[in-house]
mmCIF file of all heavy atoms in Angstrom:
data_model
loop_
_atom_site.group_PDB
_atom_site.id
_atom_site.type_symbol
_atom_site.label_atom_id
_atom_site.label_comp_id
_atom_site.label_asym_id
_atom_site.label_seq_id
_atom_site.Cartn_x
_atom_site.Cartn_y
_atom_site.Cartn_z
ATOM 1 N N PHE A 210 0.844 -1.259 -0.100
ATOM 2 C CA PHE A 210 -0.087 0.050 -0.014
ATOM 3 C C PHE A 210 0.899 1.203 -0.074
ATOM 4 O O PHE A 210 0.675 2.182 -0.686
ATOM 5 C CB PHE A 210 -0.898 -0.018 1.223
ATOM 6 C CG PHE A 210 -1.771 1.242 1.268
ATOM 7 C CD1 PHE A 210 -2.902 1.428 0.476
ATOM 8 C CD2 PHE A 210 -1.444 2.145 2.260
ATOM 9 C CE1 PHE A 210 -3.569 2.596 0.565
ATOM 10 C CE2 PHE A 210 -2.176 3.391 2.487
ATOM 11 C CZ PHE A 210 -3.317 3.565 1.605
ATOM 12 N N GLN A 211 1.919 1.278 0.826
ATOM 13 C CA GLN A 211 2.789 2.413 0.910
ATOM 14 C C GLN A 211 3.413 2.623 -0.544
ATOM 15 O O GLN A 211 3.692 3.773 -0.923
ATOM 16 C CB GLN A 211 3.853 2.226 1.992
ATOM 17 C CG GLN A 211 3.384 2.233 3.436
ATOM 18 C CD GLN A 211 2.680 3.587 3.759
ATOM 19 O OE1 GLN A 211 3.157 4.625 3.260
ATOM 20 N NE2 GLN A 211 1.744 3.519 4.573
ATOM 21 N N LEU A 212 4.024 1.559 -1.045
ATOM 22 C CA LEU A 212 4.618 1.684 -2.329
ATOM 23 C C LEU A 212 3.583 2.247 -3.432
ATOM 24 O O LEU A 212 3.943 3.179 -4.364
ATOM 25 C CB LEU A 212 5.081 0.350 -2.878
ATOM 26 C CG LEU A 212 6.435 -0.131 -2.349
ATOM 27 C CD1 LEU A 212 6.818 -1.557 -2.835
ATOM 28 C CD2 LEU A 212 7.477 0.900 -2.792
ATOM 29 N N GLN A 213 2.339 1.875 -3.384
ATOM 30 C CA GLN A 213 1.275 2.347 -4.364
ATOM 31 C C GLN A 213 1.103 3.883 -4.106
ATOM 32 O O GLN A 213 1.040 4.664 -5.000
ATOM 33 C CB GLN A 213 -0.028 1.679 -4.072
ATOM 34 C CG GLN A 213 -0.168 0.389 -4.712
ATOM 35 C CD GLN A 213 -1.505 -0.194 -4.437
ATOM 36 O OE1 GLN A 213 -2.108 -0.131 -3.315
ATOM 37 N NE2 GLN A 213 -2.042 -0.978 -5.363
ATOM 38 N N GLN A 214 1.058 4.329 -2.821
ATOM 39 C CA GLN A 214 0.898 5.701 -2.485
ATOM 40 C C GLN A 214 2.090 6.569 -2.947
ATOM 41 O O GLN A 214 1.972 7.587 -3.529
ATOM 42 C CB GLN A 214 0.727 5.874 -0.982
ATOM 43 C CG GLN A 214 -0.445 5.301 -0.427
ATOM 44 C CD GLN A 214 -1.676 5.987 -0.951
ATOM 45 O OE1 GLN A 214 -2.273 5.354 -1.861
ATOM 46 N NE2 GLN A 214 -2.058 7.132 -0.555
ATOM 47 N N ILE A 215 3.441 6.068 -2.856
ATOM 48 C CA ILE A 215 4.637 6.677 -3.236
ATOM 49 C C ILE A 215 4.516 6.862 -4.736
ATOM 50 O O ILE A 215 4.857 7.871 -5.316
ATOM 51 C CB ILE A 215 5.857 6.003 -2.801
ATOM 52 C CG1 ILE A 215 6.029 6.177 -1.228
ATOM 53 C CG2 ILE A 215 7.044 6.609 -3.500
ATOM 54 C CD1 ILE A 215 7.015 5.241 -0.605
ATOM 55 N N PHE A 216 4.196 5.690 -5.471
ATOM 56 C CA PHE A 216 4.035 5.731 -6.883
ATOM 57 C C PHE A 216 3.109 6.821 -7.346
ATOM 58 O O PHE A 216 3.378 7.602 -8.247
ATOM 59 C CB PHE A 216 3.843 4.396 -7.364
ATOM 60 C CG PHE A 216 3.636 4.318 -8.883
ATOM 61 C CD1 PHE A 216 4.818 4.430 -9.786
ATOM 62 C CD2 PHE A 216 2.337 4.166 -9.559
ATOM 63 C CE1 PHE A 216 4.769 4.316 -11.105
ATOM 64 C CE2 PHE A 216 2.331 4.070 -10.880
ATOM 65 C CZ PHE A 216 3.479 4.197 -11.701
ATOM 66 N N ARG A 217 1.953 6.775 -6.727
ATOM 67 C CA ARG A 217 0.803 7.671 -7.028
ATOM 68 C C ARG A 217 1.318 9.197 -6.965
ATOM 69 O O ARG A 217 1.074 9.855 -7.842
ATOM 70 C CB ARG A 217 -0.340 7.438 -6.131
ATOM 71 C CG ARG A 217 -1.669 8.186 -6.511
ATOM 72 C CD ARG A 217 -2.731 7.542 -5.695
ATOM 73 N NE ARG A 217 -3.777 8.628 -5.602
ATOM 74 C CZ ARG A 217 -4.866 8.628 -4.869
ATOM 75 N NH1 ARG A 217 -5.006 7.571 -4.081
ATOM 76 N NH2 ARG A 217 -5.760 9.529 -4.897
ATOM 77 N N VAL A 218 1.898 9.399 -5.818
ATOM 78 C CA VAL A 218 2.385 10.711 -5.684
ATOM 79 C C VAL A 218 3.488 11.184 -6.623
ATOM 80 O O VAL A 218 3.460 12.275 -7.266
ATOM 81 C CB VAL A 218 2.971 10.957 -4.130
ATOM 82 C CG1 VAL A 218 3.748 12.353 -3.932
ATOM 83 C CG2 VAL A 218 1.734 10.830 -3.130
ATOM 84 N N ASP A 219 4.469 10.262 -6.856
ATOM 85 C CA ASP A 219 5.593 10.586 -7.715
ATOM 86 C C ASP A 219 5.025 10.899 -9.212
ATOM 87 O O ASP A 219 5.443 11.780 -9.909
ATOM 88 C CB ASP A 219 6.602 9.316 -7.840
ATOM 89 C CG ASP A 219 7.373 9.357 -6.587
ATOM 90 O OD1 ASP A 219 7.395 10.345 -5.833
ATOM 91 O OD2 ASP A 219 8.196 8.337 -6.485
ATOM 92 N N ILE A 220 3.986 10.024 -9.598
ATOM 93 C CA ILE A 220 3.401 10.205 -11.010
ATOM 94 C C ILE A 220 2.671 11.578 -11.034
ATOM 95 O O ILE A 220 2.761 12.351 -11.884
ATOM 96 C CB ILE A 220 2.342 9.096 -11.240
ATOM 97 C CG1 ILE A 220 3.025 7.743 -11.504
ATOM 98 C CG2 ILE A 220 1.447 9.446 -12.415
ATOM 99 C CD1 ILE A 220 3.885 7.726 -12.791
ATOM 100 N N SER A 221 1.995 11.927 -9.967
ATOM 101 C CA SER A 221 1.299 13.282 -9.838
ATOM 102 C C SER A 221 2.282 14.394 -9.938
ATOM 103 O O SER A 221 2.090 15.293 -10.631
ATOM 104 C CB SER A 221 0.520 13.309 -8.586
ATOM 105 O OG SER A 221 -0.470 12.354 -8.597
ATOM 106 N N ILE A 222 3.326 14.289 -9.260
ATOM 107 C CA ILE A 222 4.432 15.322 -9.303
ATOM 108 C C ILE A 222 4.943 15.469 -10.715
ATOM 109 O O ILE A 222 5.114 16.466 -11.291
ATOM 110 C CB ILE A 222 5.625 14.958 -8.254
ATOM 111 C CG1 ILE A 222 5.029 15.184 -6.852
ATOM 112 C CG2 ILE A 222 6.785 15.922 -8.497
ATOM 113 C CD1 ILE A 222 5.936 14.622 -5.747
ATOM 114 N N ALA A 223 5.284 14.236 -11.325
ATOM 115 C CA ALA A 223 5.817 14.277 -12.784
ATOM 116 C C ALA A 223 4.830 14.928 -13.679
ATOM 117 O O ALA A 223 5.284 15.745 -14.492
ATOM 118 C CB ALA A 223 6.190 12.823 -13.174
ATOM 119 N N PHE A 224 3.558 14.586 -13.596
ATOM 120 C CA PHE A 224 2.552 15.196 -14.494
ATOM 121 C C PHE A 224 2.455 16.737 -14.271
ATOM 122 O O PHE A 224 2.361 17.413 -15.228
ATOM 123 C CB PHE A 224 1.104 14.547 -14.188
ATOM 124 C CG PHE A 224 0.924 13.292 -15.021
ATOM 125 C CD1 PHE A 224 0.378 12.199 -14.327
ATOM 126 C CD2 PHE A 224 1.333 13.104 -16.425
ATOM 127 C CE1 PHE A 224 0.126 11.113 -15.054
ATOM 128 C CE2 PHE A 224 0.987 11.969 -17.102
ATOM 129 C CZ PHE A 224 0.481 10.889 -16.355
ATOM 130 N N ASN A 225 2.602 17.134 -12.969
ATOM 131 C CA ASN A 225 2.519 18.574 -12.589
ATOM 132 C C ASN A 225 3.669 19.272 -13.274
ATOM 133 O O ASN A 225 3.508 20.390 -13.792
ATOM 134 C CB ASN A 225 2.348 18.753 -11.200
ATOM 135 C CG ASN A 225 2.009 20.162 -10.841
ATOM 136 O OD1 ASN A 225 0.916 20.705 -11.186
ATOM 137 N ND2 ASN A 225 2.816 20.877 -10.043
ATOM 138 N N ILE A 226 4.874 18.687 -13.173
ATOM 139 C CA ILE A 226 6.119 19.282 -13.729
ATOM 140 C C ILE A 226 5.940 19.382 -15.200
ATOM 141 O O ILE A 226 6.261 20.456 -15.848
ATOM 142 C CB ILE A 226 7.293 18.542 -13.268
ATOM 143 C CG1 ILE A 226 7.572 18.790 -11.778
ATOM 144 C CG2 ILE A 226 8.576 18.978 -14.035
ATOM 145 C CD1 ILE A 226 8.661 17.886 -11.118
ATOM 146 N N LEU A 227 5.543 18.296 -15.855
ATOM 147 C CA LEU A 227 5.310 18.284 -17.323
ATOM 148 C C LEU A 227 4.415 19.397 -17.695
ATOM 149 O O LEU A 227 4.555 20.106 -18.763
ATOM 150 C CB LEU A 227 4.775 16.902 -17.782
ATOM 151 C CG LEU A 227 5.790 15.934 -17.955
ATOM 152 C CD1 LEU A 227 5.066 14.514 -18.264
ATOM 153 C CD2 LEU A 227 6.773 16.136 -19.086
ATOM 154 N N GLY A 228 3.229 19.564 -16.857
ATOM 155 C CA GLY A 228 2.362 20.671 -17.142
ATOM 156 C C GLY A 228 2.922 22.110 -17.108
ATOM 157 O O GLY A 228 2.729 22.898 -17.864
ATOM 158 N N ILE A 229 3.842 22.214 -16.034
ATOM 159 C CA ILE A 229 4.376 23.573 -15.797
ATOM 160 C C ILE A 229 5.345 23.865 -17.083
ATOM 161 O O ILE A 229 5.341 24.928 -17.599
ATOM 162 C CB ILE A 229 5.177 23.588 -14.602
ATOM 163 C CG1 ILE A 229 4.232 23.582 -13.466
ATOM 164 C CG2 ILE A 229 6.138 24.867 -14.510
ATOM 165 C CD1 ILE A 229 4.819 23.372 -12.018
ATOM 166 N N GLU A 230 6.178 22.898 -17.467
ATOM 167 C CA GLU A 230 7.071 23.065 -18.624
ATOM 168 C C GLU A 230 6.323 23.280 -19.945
ATOM 169 O O GLU A 230 6.595 24.087 -20.765
ATOM 170 C CB GLU A 230 7.956 21.782 -18.767
ATOM 171 C CG GLU A 230 8.974 21.682 -17.569
ATOM 172 C CD GLU A 230 9.855 22.835 -17.369
ATOM 173 O OE1 GLU A 230 10.248 23.487 -18.407
ATOM 174 O OE2 GLU A 230 10.088 23.244 -16.193
ATOM 175 N N SER A 231 5.077 22.526 -20.089
ATOM 176 C CA SER A 231 4.388 22.778 -21.243
ATOM 177 C C SER A 231 3.714 24.205 -21.303
ATOM 178 O O SER A 231 3.640 24.807 -22.357
ATOM 179 C CB SER A 231 3.235 21.765 -21.291
ATOM 180 O OG SER A 231 3.755 20.344 -21.348
ATOM 181 N N MET A 232 3.291 24.647 -20.127
ATOM 182 C CA MET A 232 2.717 25.958 -19.978
ATOM 183 C C MET A 232 3.743 27.018 -20.436
ATOM 184 O O MET A 232 3.496 27.925 -21.204
ATOM 185 C CB MET A 232 2.209 26.148 -18.562
ATOM 186 C CG MET A 232 1.398 27.489 -18.407
ATOM 187 S SD MET A 232 -0.155 27.503 -19.248
ATOM 188 C CE MET A 232 -1.181 26.305 -18.368
ATOM 189 N N ARG A 233 4.934 26.872 -19.921
ATOM 190 C CA ARG A 233 6.044 27.787 -20.168
ATOM 191 C C ARG A 233 6.405 27.871 -21.651
ATOM 192 O O ARG A 233 6.792 28.904 -22.196
ATOM 193 C CB ARG A 233 7.311 27.433 -19.476
ATOM 194 C CG ARG A 233 7.261 27.730 -17.957
ATOM 195 C CD ARG A 233 8.593 27.459 -17.279
ATOM 196 N NE ARG A 233 8.448 27.733 -15.901
ATOM 197 C CZ ARG A 233 8.989 26.997 -14.931
ATOM 198 N NH1 ARG A 233 9.779 26.107 -15.101
ATOM 199 N NH2 ARG A 233 8.802 27.397 -13.671
ATOM 200 N N ALA A 234 6.236 26.666 -22.384
ATOM 201 C CA ALA A 234 6.442 26.527 -23.914
ATOM 202 C C ALA A 234 5.267 26.974 -24.622
ATOM 203 O O ALA A 234 5.395 27.061 -25.901
ATOM 204 C CB ALA A 234 6.842 25.114 -24.172
ATOM 205 N N GLY A 235 4.226 27.406 -24.000
ATOM 206 C CA GLY A 235 2.989 27.851 -24.712
ATOM 207 C C GLY A 235 2.144 26.850 -25.148
ATOM 208 O O GLY A 235 1.075 26.919 -25.986
ATOM 209 N N HIS A 236 2.364 25.537 -24.709
ATOM 210 C CA HIS A 236 1.500 24.335 -25.157
ATOM 211 C C HIS A 236 0.388 24.166 -24.007
ATOM 212 O O HIS A 236 0.502 23.315 -23.199
ATOM 213 C CB HIS A 236 2.404 23.103 -25.153
ATOM 214 C CG HIS A 236 3.516 23.241 -26.175
ATOM 215 N ND1 HIS A 236 3.326 23.588 -27.600
ATOM 216 C CD2 HIS A 236 4.872 23.142 -26.045
ATOM 217 C CE1 HIS A 236 4.443 23.639 -28.152
ATOM 218 N NE2 HIS A 236 5.400 23.318 -27.182
ATOM 219 N N TYR A 237 -0.534 25.119 -24.065
ATOM 220 C CA TYR A 237 -1.481 25.134 -23.070
ATOM 221 C C TYR A 237 -2.421 23.903 -22.931
ATOM 222 O O TYR A 237 -2.786 23.483 -21.853
ATOM 223 C CB TYR A 237 -2.463 26.439 -23.205
ATOM 224 C CG TYR A 237 -1.586 27.639 -23.266
ATOM 225 C CD1 TYR A 237 -1.865 28.731 -24.121
ATOM 226 C CD2 TYR A 237 -0.634 27.951 -22.230
ATOM 227 C CE1 TYR A 237 -1.018 29.893 -24.112
ATOM 228 C CE2 TYR A 237 0.181 29.077 -22.359
ATOM 229 C CZ TYR A 237 -0.086 30.028 -23.244
ATOM 230 O OH TYR A 237 0.681 31.217 -23.159
ATOM 231 N N ARG A 238 -2.774 23.382 -24.014
ATOM 232 C CA ARG A 238 -3.690 22.235 -24.018
ATOM 233 C C ARG A 238 -2.986 21.035 -23.379
ATOM 234 O O ARG A 238 -3.550 20.270 -22.500
ATOM 235 C CB ARG A 238 -4.189 22.044 -25.442
ATOM 236 C CG ARG A 238 -5.093 20.631 -25.604
ATOM 237 C CD ARG A 238 -6.260 20.815 -24.650
ATOM 238 N NE ARG A 238 -7.409 21.152 -25.438
ATOM 239 C CZ ARG A 238 -8.559 21.101 -24.905
ATOM 240 N NH1 ARG A 238 -8.925 20.871 -23.521
ATOM 241 N NH2 ARG A 238 -9.776 21.506 -25.609
ATOM 242 N N ILE A 239 -1.756 20.857 -23.751
ATOM 243 C CA ILE A 239 -0.896 19.722 -23.087
ATOM 244 C C ILE A 239 -0.753 19.953 -21.550
ATOM 245 O O ILE A 239 -0.977 19.024 -20.788
ATOM 246 C CB ILE A 239 0.419 19.588 -23.774
ATOM 247 C CG1 ILE A 239 0.135 19.033 -25.225
ATOM 248 C CG2 ILE A 239 1.325 18.631 -23.076
ATOM 249 C CD1 ILE A 239 1.427 19.141 -26.147
ATOM 250 N N ALA A 240 -0.441 21.249 -21.209
ATOM 251 C CA ALA A 240 -0.236 21.643 -19.915
ATOM 252 C C ALA A 240 -1.551 21.263 -19.045
ATOM 253 O O ALA A 240 -1.527 20.638 -17.914
ATOM 254 C CB ALA A 240 0.150 23.130 -19.707
ATOM 255 N N TYR A 241 -2.627 21.754 -19.479
ATOM 256 C CA TYR A 241 -4.050 21.390 -18.869
ATOM 257 C C TYR A 241 -4.122 19.954 -18.647
ATOM 258 O O TYR A 241 -4.636 19.513 -17.644
ATOM 259 C CB TYR A 241 -5.121 22.098 -19.696
ATOM 260 C CG TYR A 241 -6.398 21.544 -19.225
ATOM 261 C CD1 TYR A 241 -7.031 22.012 -18.043
ATOM 262 C CD2 TYR A 241 -7.123 20.596 -19.989
ATOM 263 C CE1 TYR A 241 -8.238 21.575 -17.711
ATOM 264 C CE2 TYR A 241 -8.337 20.114 -19.559
ATOM 265 C CZ TYR A 241 -8.964 20.528 -18.377
ATOM 266 O OH TYR A 241 -10.090 19.988 -17.882
ATOM 267 N N THR A 242 -3.911 19.234 -19.776
ATOM 268 C CA THR A 242 -4.061 17.781 -19.698
ATOM 269 C C THR A 242 -3.216 17.169 -18.571
ATOM 270 O O THR A 242 -3.701 16.214 -17.759
ATOM 271 C CB THR A 242 -3.848 16.951 -21.064
ATOM 272 O OG1 THR A 242 -4.780 17.615 -22.002
ATOM 273 C CG2 THR A 242 -3.984 15.567 -20.936
ATOM 274 N N CYS A 243 -1.930 17.543 -18.433
ATOM 275 C CA CYS A 243 -0.959 17.009 -17.471
ATOM 276 C C CYS A 243 -1.429 17.499 -16.139
ATOM 277 O O CYS A 243 -1.475 16.684 -15.096
ATOM 278 C CB CYS A 243 0.333 17.574 -17.797
ATOM 279 S SG CYS A 243 1.168 16.907 -19.290
ATOM 280 N N PHE A 244 -1.913 18.714 -15.908
ATOM 281 C CA PHE A 244 -2.246 19.186 -14.624
ATOM 282 C C PHE A 244 -3.527 18.355 -14.173
ATOM 283 O O PHE A 244 -3.697 17.952 -12.993
ATOM 284 C CB PHE A 244 -2.736 20.601 -14.693
ATOM 285 C CG PHE A 244 -1.585 21.553 -14.867
ATOM 286 C CD1 PHE A 244 -1.675 22.801 -15.562
ATOM 287 C CD2 PHE A 244 -0.392 21.326 -14.240
ATOM 288 C CE1 PHE A 244 -0.733 23.753 -15.677
ATOM 289 C CE2 PHE A 244 0.751 22.205 -14.393
ATOM 290 C CZ PHE A 244 0.486 23.368 -15.185
ATOM 291 N N LYS A 245 -4.479 18.089 -15.189
ATOM 292 C CA LYS A 245 -5.761 17.427 -14.840
ATOM 293 C C LYS A 245 -5.395 16.031 -14.389
ATOM 294 O O LYS A 245 -6.082 15.501 -13.438
ATOM 295 C CB LYS A 245 -6.695 17.495 -16.070
ATOM 296 C CG LYS A 245 -7.977 16.921 -15.886
ATOM 297 C CD LYS A 245 -8.991 17.972 -15.206
ATOM 298 C CE LYS A 245 -10.436 17.460 -15.388
ATOM 299 N NZ LYS A 245 -10.716 16.349 -14.675
ATOM 300 N N LEU A 246 -4.468 15.343 -15.079
ATOM 301 C CA LEU A 246 -4.196 13.996 -14.632
ATOM 302 C C LEU A 246 -3.686 13.860 -13.246
ATOM 303 O O LEU A 246 -4.122 13.020 -12.472
ATOM 304 C CB LEU A 246 -3.146 13.335 -15.662
ATOM 305 C CG LEU A 246 -3.717 13.075 -17.005
ATOM 306 C CD1 LEU A 246 -2.569 12.728 -17.903
ATOM 307 C CD2 LEU A 246 -4.651 11.775 -16.997
ATOM 308 N N ALA A 247 -2.872 14.841 -12.824
ATOM 309 C CA ALA A 247 -2.297 14.800 -11.405
ATOM 310 C C ALA A 247 -3.327 15.323 -10.519
ATOM 311 O O ALA A 247 -3.459 14.834 -9.430
ATOM 312 C CB ALA A 247 -1.060 15.799 -11.544
ATOM 313 N N ALA A 248 -4.127 16.279 -10.935
ATOM 314 C CA ALA A 248 -5.221 16.815 -10.053
ATOM 315 C C ALA A 248 -6.237 15.709 -9.685
ATOM 316 O O ALA A 248 -6.566 15.543 -8.519
ATOM 317 C CB ALA A 248 -5.983 17.928 -10.697
ATOM 318 N N ASP A 249 -6.585 14.894 -10.670
ATOM 319 C CA ASP A 249 -7.590 13.825 -10.445
ATOM 320 C C ASP A 249 -6.953 12.756 -9.603
ATOM 321 O O ASP A 249 -7.779 11.918 -8.936
ATOM 322 C CB ASP A 249 -7.997 13.169 -11.771
ATOM 323 C CG ASP A 249 -8.817 14.144 -12.476
ATOM 324 O OD1 ASP A 249 -9.314 15.090 -12.073
ATOM 325 O OD2 ASP A 249 -9.024 13.924 -13.783
#
């Protein structure tokens, strides 16, 4: 269970970082999708 939680958080962090980088590059739709995956 702990490993699942860590994996879940790490994936969320990764999606959020991808979203931030996409936003900076002006790829707003991709950024939104990444943020939404982590937010959910």
Side-chain angles (χ1 to χ4, degrees):
F210 177 74
Q211 291 297 330
L212 279 173
Q213 282 180 322
Q214 293 301 98
I215 290 167
F216 179 72
R217 187 175 159 186
V218 170
D219 284 350
I220 288 292
S221 299
I222 292 169
F224 277 132
N225 194 56
I226 291 169
L227 280 171
I229 291 168
E230 293 304 317
S231 297
M232 190 64 74
R233 286 184 182 144
H236 304 300
Y237 302 133
R238 178 56 101 175
I239 295 169
Y241 165 77
T242 302
C243 291
F244 292 145
K245 185 87 167 57
L246 286 167
D249 290 345

